[in-house]
Amino acid sequence: MNNLKLGVEVVGAHNLLPKDGQGSSSSFVELSFDGQRFRTTVKQRDLNPVWNETFYFNISDPTSLHKLALEVFVRSADPRDSFLGKVSLTGTSFVPYSDATVLNYPLEKRGIFSHVRGELGLKVYITNDPNINASRPTPAIPVQEPALSQFKEKVEAPRHTFHHLPNPSNQNHNHSASLPPPPAPAIPHRDHVPERGTGPKVAGSDPVKPDPHPPKLVRMYSATPAQPIDYALKETSPFLGGGRVVGGRVIRGDKKATTYDLVEQMHFLYVRVVKARELPAMDVTGSLDPFVEIKVGNYKGITKHFEKKQDPQWNQVFAFSRERMQASVLEVLVKDKNVLKDDFVGIVRFDVNEVPLRVPPDSPLAPEWYHLQDKKGEKIKGELMLAVWIGTQADEAFSDAWHSDAATPIESTPAANTLIRSKVYHAPRLWYVRVNVIEAQDLVPTEKNRFPDVYVKAQIGNQIMKTRTVQARTLSPMWNDDLLFVAAEPFEDHLIISVEDRVGQGKDEIIGRVIIPLSGVEKRVDDRVVNSRWFSLEKPTTVDVDEVKKEKFSSKIHLRVCLDGGYHVLDESTHYSSDLRPTAKQLWKPSIGLLELGILNATGLHPMKTRDGRGTSDTYCVAKYGHKWVRTRTIVDNLCPKYNEQYTWEVFDTATVLTVGVFNNSQLGEKGSNGNKDLKIGKVRVRISTLETGRVYTHSYPLLVLHPSGVKKMGEIHLAIRFSCTSFANMLYIYSRPLLPKMHYVRPFNVMQLDMLRHQAVTIVAARLGRAEPPLRKEVVEYMSDADSHLWSMRKSKANFFRLMSVFSGLFSVGKWFGDVCMWRNPITTVLVHALYTMLVCFPELILPTMFLYMFLIGVWNFRYRPRYPPHMNTRISQAEGIHPDEMDEEFDTFPTSKGPDFVRMRYDRLRSVAGRIQTVVGDVATQGERVQALLSWRDPRATAIFITFCLVATLVLYVTPFQVVAGLSGFYMMRHPRFRHRLPSAPVNFFRRLPARTDSLL
């Protein structure tokens, strides 16, 4: 039996709009859900009324809960039922009673001209308690006496798991005792609300007690009905630095907003070890190899050690998470490095509870000298300069600090610290290098008895391009070929041009070459012609020096070389571009907004490695937008890591995509780990044009990855995203501009060139970012840039085919509907269509206005159902469900293939069968087009004679007949009643099908 009920506690309102003409309002609240309607009592002449009344709605079908909505209207009784505001909550935002808390909802307008103000305090939850009865329905006439809901006393019952709702018991709650989470925002003018855990009450005298652990409101969305709920996007309502996020809006609490307002505030104990002086010697030689060990409970950080130095300088920062600290004493030990066992030198102790709190933008805390003590607490020789403070992730020392949650409690070395830091990377500025090989002159062939077959080879780094081979009968060959390369600033590689003679099969000899530094090449930003130059060719080796001196001239080559800055160098898939600006900075337009990303946490991650006999992961996140890449710190040994790092980008175009990936750091703790690849856990794409300006999107994204065994969910990543517009006029103007820079349309590249250049660009970016510290590895850059998106896949082909069918499904539906109209399936509809068609024929000037008005009305109607969440990867659209294992294995195969001949033969035969069907469809389309051409080609003389005779007759008839009459008769003929139709094809169709095509000429 279904006992699910929706409980709504109407607490109170604040700052309502006066409606009675005397500066006040007699207000009441009306609630509507699933055909049920309730009303509170009327509070006379009170702009801040308090009700504390609870109502219960029956949930008839829990499976359709996400489609329902709770409508709450605030009205004034005088004048009668005057509108004061409303609140609308979708069914996906309802949570169990144990997770519910009172929230202030801003009152919304009913229409464009409505004027409302104020807030309404509600507590909405779902209960499965069978002892609670539904409230009595509202009477037809409003009553002034309290119409309180009747129900039995609620008995404490065990928690239940509700349909389509998260189970909070499965989540990890690691709250620090010293720093509890911020309280829920208080709602003013509340006198009586039930305490947490006591059950809902209609009325009482309990004081307000905000929930110390605010819940997360989870909304689950699915792009298609067949999308599994586990793969769906979930909207959350976390407490961030700016306040509680509800429905994309930030409800401010008692806390002041901080700079990092898109992440949960985390507190760290920072220790800056600056230097030491006058350290005591530990052996008879007077030498000392000092290092510092910072210890808090089981966590410890170690500085690098200096050999034979009593006044070392470290200047290193260590950060210990307050959430995971297990001790109240901070110990800073100075030790002497030895082979067998490190010797104790001195110690400095701090009480963590006495450490000062620093809040930016305060200046950094000044370090102080502290005397060293022995193990008994007595002062000894030597001092250590330290700075100790409590701060958040907004501290400027956060990114360079060693983090306790990014290292194992057992071992921590300075070498491993470089691999776990959070960093910001800037990809190099890329240029297209255009080399126009015009001609060569006075070539000296290696063999005198034949004409050389010469070609030009150009090389920049690992990129090699060749011209076509030309037989130089005059020893002055001409090519006029364009060769394209990608180069990155600063230009480290030179352009090497060599003229080579193809002597035989696989044997080439160099006639001469020239080396051109790219730093001296002319740059252009438009399509102007660059001046060409003659370059002298030098032989790679010279046998006789005297012979070289006797040479009065040398072979030359005519080149036109330039750096094209008017293009945007595509270094990622064109479907997911994060930047569309040209290379030349003088062509950049001003930014249109800011994109802010808060990487909060990840949950339920799949173990990627084994440590101490248990599965675990060392994860970090990478975000890419434009030239700016960011990497969070690595959280070691944690399947539910909390990052809480915030980053900002400038936005120059809304048709761009933000990409966030999660990876497992395979370079920690394993032997030979430098050769291991960082394993991908999943990624998320967010298109900027789908975001509303000013709204905070807090969602939990499933991390979906394709494996040879099929699609697999690797966990979830929790993000907060906000797009802020700085220039609304520029943002609207950008929609009228071309997507790519001007040069892409003036001198476009072909598809083969774009694929080759994109591959080279990704290789260059991966090589440059791999040289940073810590490096962004090649597999990370390629995965974030979708480097293999152009490779063949049967799954992708099916997905694109069904996408195409979905696009044309509307036309198919219209065609089917029109066919039903013509067949008089619904006589009323057919008559109305006849009337509309007659009106349009008589007044053709109404056709275009009617069409645009129809599209306008459809757009206005769809505004109510507009998506309120960013689109996410869909397994059904991707054709990732129920895919054949061999097709998935083919997608993960290398290029060229690494499979055996039998597998290749089987896949080739399958591809031939698919291509055969495509070939048939293309042939049928070509046949219809050739029949159209045959109408006037006299290929069939009788058919052409009939057609041109018909054209002559039609010319005379149409000349004397008004167009409206012809159009009307044609339309009525097409929509004639089935009684006047024949089952056989019509005469025009028969005539067209008899026309010849070129199929007879095919072999």
Side-chain angles (χ1 to χ4, degrees):
M1 181 178 178
N2 178 27
N3 294 318
L4 277 180
K5 294 178 180 62
L6 175 67
V8 181
E9 180 181 353
V10 183
V11 180
H14 170 60
N15 195 25
L16 295 178
L17 193 69
K19 285 287 187 177
D20 59 358
Q22 301 179 3
S24 183
S25 290
S26 299
S27 55
F28 65 94
V29 177
E30 189 177 80
L31 302 96
S32 175
F33 176 78
D34 195 14
Q36 308 164 63
R37 181 169 296 183
F38 304 117
R39 185 184 292 115
T40 66
T41 57
V42 177
K43 298 296 181 181
Q44 300 291 338
R45 300 181 180 276
D46 192 355
L47 295 180
N48 301 295
V50 177
W51 288 282
N52 286 324
E53 298 178 22
T54 304
F55 303 90
Y56 293 96
F57 298 86
N58 285 321
I59 301 177
S60 57
D61 185 9
T63 59
S64 61
L65 180 61
H66 62 285
K67 300 179 182 178
L68 303 177
L70 171 66
E71 300 285 346
V72 183
F73 297 91
V74 183
R75 303 183 185 275
S76 175
D78 186 19
R80 184 177 180 88
D81 289 353
S82 180
F83 180 77
L84 294 177
K86 72 171 184 177
V87 174
S88 180
L89 302 178
T90 59
T92 54
S93 64
F94 303 153
V95 296
Y97 175 75
S98 58
D99 289 339
T101 185
V102 180
L103 291 177
N104 270 338
Y105 295 95
L107 294 178
E108 300 176 354
K109 296 181 178 180
R110 180 171 52 184
I112 300 177
F113 303 101
S114 300
H115 180 50
V116 300
R117 76 179 188 190
E119 299 174 338
L120 179 64
L122 298 174
K123 183 176 181 180
V124 184
Y125 52 87
I126 293 178
T127 179
N128 201 25
D129 194 339
N131 297 318
I132 296 180
N133 297 327
S135 303
R136 294 180 180 177
T138 301
I141 302 175
V143 294
Q144 302 297 328
E145 293 79 20
L148 301 181
S149 307
Q150 303 295 325
F151 64 98
K152 298 180 181 180
E153 184 177 358
K154 182 175 186 281
V155 181
E156 187 65 21
R159 297 180 58 178
H160 300 274
T161 301
F162 298 103
H163 185 73
H164 280 197
L165 290 174
N167 188 356
S169 62
N170 295 334
Q171 302 177 4
N172 293 333
H173 300 282
N174 299 322
H175 298 294
S176 173
S178 57
L179 289 171
I187 297 181
H189 304 284
R190 293 182 302 180
D191 298 327
H192 311 291
V193 296
E195 296 182 3
R196 179 185 177 98
T198 60
K201 298 181 181 180
V202 175
S205 58
D206 298 327
V208 176
K209 293 186 179 181
D211 188 359
H213 302 287
K216 294 182 179 180
L217 305 180
V218 180
R219 301 179 182 180
M220 298 185 181
Y221 295 103
S222 181
T224 58
Q227 173 86 341
I229 198 67
D230 197 36
Y231 297 163
L233 189 66
K234 303 174 185 176
E235 183 176 5
T236 61
S237 181
F239 254 111
L240 304 181
R244 182 80 177 254
V245 180
V246 177
R249 291 177 293 185
V250 180
I251 299 179
R252 305 290 179 183
D254 297 333
K255 297 173 58 178
K256 295 181 180 180
T258 62
T259 305
Y260 286 70
D261 59 345
L262 290 186
V263 292
E264 298 176 4
Q265 194 174 78
M266 300 178 66
H267 286 80
F268 295 88
L269 171 63
Y270 288 97
V271 181
R272 182 186 295 276
V273 182
V274 184
K275 56 185 176 179
R277 65 183 179 187
E278 300 179 0
L279 295 179
M282 300 305 295
D283 54 17
V284 294
T285 61
S287 64
L288 181 68
D289 300 336
F291 69 93
V292 177
E293 178 181 297
I294 300 92
K295 188 175 181 181
V296 181
N298 292 333
Y299 293 98
K300 65 178 180 179
I302 302 174
T303 66
K304 59 183 179 181
H305 76 279
F306 293 92
E307 294 185 358
K308 300 180 180 180
K309 193 170 185 179
Q310 293 181 311
D311 298 320
Q313 294 187 4
W314 292 282
N315 198 26
Q316 289 182 240
V317 182
F318 299 82
F320 298 87
S321 174
R322 288 293 302 268
E323 198 174 62
R324 302 175 66 176
M325 284 172 50
Q326 302 169 347
S328 60
V329 177
L330 166 68
E331 297 180 346
V332 183
L333 298 91
V334 181
K335 292 187 176 182
D336 180 21
K337 188 72 173 179
N338 284 327
V339 178
L340 299 178
K341 184 179 180 182
D342 301 330
D343 294 331
F344 174 83
V345 177
I347 189 174
V348 178
R349 293 184 176 89
F350 295 89
D351 187 353
V352 176
N353 298 322
E354 301 297 328
V355 175
L357 176 67
R358 175 183 175 255
V359 180
D362 292 349
S363 299
L365 192 67
E368 301 179 23
W369 286 105
Y370 293 91
H371 287 284
L372 296 180
Q373 300 176 352
D374 58 13
K375 295 182 178 180
K376 298 180 180 180
E378 298 180 359
K379 186 186 300 183
I380 61 175
K381 181 183 178 182
E383 292 180 306
L384 187 62
M385 179 176 280
L386 300 170
V388 183
W389 72 96
I390 298 291
T392 64
Q393 65 266 49
D395 203 293
E396 63 272 4
F398 177 81
S399 60
D400 292 327
W402 172 95
H403 287 270
S404 62
D405 58 357
T408 59
I410 303 174
E411 179 182 1
S412 177
T413 60
N417 185 30
T418 59
L419 299 174
I420 59 179
R421 290 179 177 175
S422 59
K423 288 295 179 182
V424 176
Y425 308 83
H426 280 276
R429 192 153 64 117
L430 302 178
W431 292 79
Y432 283 142
V433 182
R434 187 186 295 271
V435 181
N436 180 225
V437 183
I438 303 174
E439 58 180 332
Q441 194 175 66
D442 300 329
L443 296 181
V444 181
T446 56
E447 298 180 2
K448 306 296 184 180
N449 57 355
R450 68 176 185 87
F451 295 110
D453 294 329
V454 294
Y455 65 92
V456 177
K457 183 176 74 173
Q459 180 176 359
I460 299 179
N462 296 325
Q463 308 173 63
I464 298 177
M465 296 290 292
K466 298 178 182 179
T467 66
R468 67 185 189 277
T469 302
V470 175
Q471 191 176 40
R473 291 183 176 273
T474 62
L475 300 182
S476 297
M478 296 188 65
W479 293 277
N480 199 25
D481 288 350
D482 273 354
L483 306 179
L484 293 169
F485 301 88
V486 179
E489 289 185 345
F491 302 116
E492 299 176 349
D493 298 319
H494 299 313
L495 172 62
I496 303 175
I497 303 291
S498 60
V499 180
E500 300 188 7
D501 179 15
R502 179 153 295 171
V503 179
Q505 186 68 26
K507 183 180 180 182
D508 301 326
E509 293 185 0
I510 299 178
I511 298 177
R513 71 177 181 180
V514 60
I515 300 177
I516 305 174
L518 290 179
S519 57
V521 173
E522 184 179 356
K523 299 178 180 178
R524 70 173 184 179
V525 298
D526 50 18
D527 196 33
R528 64 182 176 83
V529 178
V530 179
N531 296 327
S532 59
R533 290 180 55 190
W534 285 94
F535 295 90
S536 299
L537 294 175
E538 299 178 357
K539 293 184 177 181
T541 57
T542 302
V543 179
D544 192 350
V545 178
D546 295 332
E547 217 174 276
V548 175
K549 292 180 180 179
K550 292 178 183 178
E551 291 182 357
K552 296 182 180 180
F553 68 94
S554 63
S555 302
K556 295 183 179 295
I557 187 170
H558 194 193
L559 302 174
R560 183 179 286 111
V561 186
C562 68
L563 293 170
D564 271 332
Y567 292 93
H568 167 68
V569 180
L570 297 169
D571 59 343
E572 52 198 342
S573 176
T574 53
H575 301 292
Y576 315 120
S577 295
S578 61
D579 188 18
L580 300 172
R581 293 174 295 169
T583 301
K585 290 185 177 180
Q586 57 266 37
L587 299 180
W588 290 4
K589 302 296 182 182
S591 64
I592 61 173
L594 290 176
L595 176 64
E596 298 168 273
L597 169 67
I599 305 176
L600 302 179
N601 55 65
T603 57
L605 294 181
H606 188 76
M608 305 300 292
K609 61 175 66 174
T610 302
R611 180 178 292 139
D612 298 333
R614 57 184 176 83
T616 186
S617 293
D618 306 330
T619 58
Y620 64 92
C621 298
V622 176
K624 175 191 184 302
Y625 186 76
H627 291 171
K628 182 178 176 181
W629 296 63
V630 299
R631 169 179 175 156
T632 68
R633 67 192 189 280
T634 300
I635 306 297
V636 176
D637 202 20
N638 198 332
L639 296 178
C640 296
K642 292 185 178 181
Y643 303 100
N644 285 309
E645 299 185 24
Q646 183 171 340
Y647 300 94
T648 305
W649 289 268
E650 282 188 307
V651 178
F652 294 87
D653 199 314
T654 55
T656 49
V657 176
L658 166 71
T659 306
V660 182
V662 184
F663 300 89
N664 178 73
N665 195 332
S666 301
Q667 316 306 315
L668 300 176
E670 291 86 7
K671 294 182 180 180
S673 56
N674 289 333
N676 296 340
K677 291 185 177 182
D678 287 355
L679 303 177
K680 60 185 179 184
I681 298 179
K683 65 182 173 185
V684 173
R685 302 190 194 100
V686 179
R687 186 167 292 273
I688 309 303
S689 59
T690 62
L691 304 179
E692 299 178 11
T693 56
R695 179 177 178 179
V696 179
Y697 291 84
T698 54
H699 291 85
S700 184
Y701 296 82
L703 298 172
L704 306 178
V705 177
L706 277 176
H707 289 274
S709 58
V711 66
K712 187 175 183 180
K713 181 180 178 180
M714 305 295 290
E716 294 183 0
I717 180 72
H718 193 191
L719 303 177
I721 304 172
R722 177 172 57 206
F723 170 52
S724 304
C725 177
T726 56
S727 176
F728 185 74
N730 289 342
M731 183 177 67
L732 295 183
Y733 175 70
I734 206 72
Y735 279 88
S736 65
R737 301 296 300 162
L739 189 64
L740 294 172
K742 178 181 177 181
M743 285 293 291
H744 285 272
Y745 306 98
V746 176
R747 297 192 66 178
F749 299 133
N750 57 46
V751 177
M752 295 295 294
Q753 288 175 326
L754 285 176
D755 287 342
M756 181 269 298
L757 293 173
R758 187 170 72 90
H759 174 73
Q760 298 295 343
V762 172
T763 303
I764 292 175
V765 171
R768 289 292 180 91
L769 296 181
R771 292 158 55 180
E773 192 66 40
L776 271 182
R777 298 180 63 85
K778 180 181 179 181
E779 60 271 14
V780 174
V781 177
E782 290 180 348
Y783 180 63
M784 296 288 291
S785 303
D786 288 284
D788 58 349
S789 61
H790 64 288
L791 297 179
W792 159 262
S793 168
M794 183 68 74
R795 177 190 60 84
K796 294 179 182 178
S797 301
K798 291 180 180 179
N800 290 332
F801 173 77
F802 285 110
R803 286 174 57 203
L804 187 64
M805 295 299 294
S806 176
V807 169
F808 289 106
S809 62
L811 295 178
F812 298 153
S813 300
V814 172
K816 184 178 181 300
W817 170 82
F818 185 72
D820 293 341
V821 169
C822 294
M823 298 303 295
W824 290 70
R825 298 288 172 80
N826 190 335
I828 298 178
T829 303
T830 303
V831 171
L832 293 177
V833 171
H834 277 74
L836 177 63
Y837 182 75
T838 303
M839 183 187 68
L840 294 179
V841 168
C842 297
F843 304 97
E845 64 275 7
L846 296 179
I847 295 177
L848 290 179
T850 302
M851 182 179 64
F852 285 107
L853 178 62
Y854 180 67
M855 290 189 293
F856 169 77
L857 294 177
I858 291 178
V860 172
W861 177 262
N862 290 339
F863 179 78
R864 299 176 55 193
Y865 309 102
R866 67 191 185 277
R868 299 299 186 96
Y869 56 94
H872 187 53
M873 299 177 185
N874 188 285
T875 56
R876 184 181 181 186
I877 296 177
S878 304
Q879 295 295 313
E881 299 177 358
I883 186 172
H884 193 276
D886 183 69
E887 294 180 3
M888 188 63 70
D889 184 66
E890 180 185 19
E891 184 170 349
F892 282 88
D893 193 7
T894 58
F895 186 83
T897 181
S898 58
K899 298 296 182 180
D902 294 337
F903 277 97
V904 176
R905 184 181 299 110
M906 183 267 294
R907 291 172 180 173
Y908 176 65
D909 292 339
R910 182 177 61 198
L911 185 60
R912 288 178 62 188
S913 65
V914 174
R917 291 192 290 269
I918 298 175
Q919 171 185 285
T920 303
V921 173
V922 174
D924 291 341
V925 174
T927 298
Q928 307 308 319
E930 289 170 353
R931 285 173 176 170
V932 174
Q933 294 176 347
L935 287 171
L936 298 172
S937 67
W938 293 91
R939 172 58 60 184
D940 185 344
R942 287 169 295 277
T944 304
I946 294 173
F947 180 71
I948 62 175
T949 303
F950 169 77
C951 291
L952 178 61
V953 174
T955 302
L956 298 176
V957 172
L958 293 177
Y959 180 76
V960 299
T961 307
F963 174 77
Q964 286 88 343
V965 174
V966 176
L969 293 177
S970 301
F972 288 136
Y973 176 77
M974 293 181 61
M975 295 184 289
R976 65 191 185 277
H977 196 273
R979 181 177 299 178
F980 304 103
R981 295 179 182 271
H982 299 284
R983 294 187 178 182
L984 298 178
S986 62
V989 173
N990 295 331
F991 177 80
F992 183 77
R993 289 178 178 175
R994 290 177 179 275
L995 292 173
R998 294 184 179 180
T999 52
D1000 303 333
S1001 303
L1002 296 178
L1003 293 175

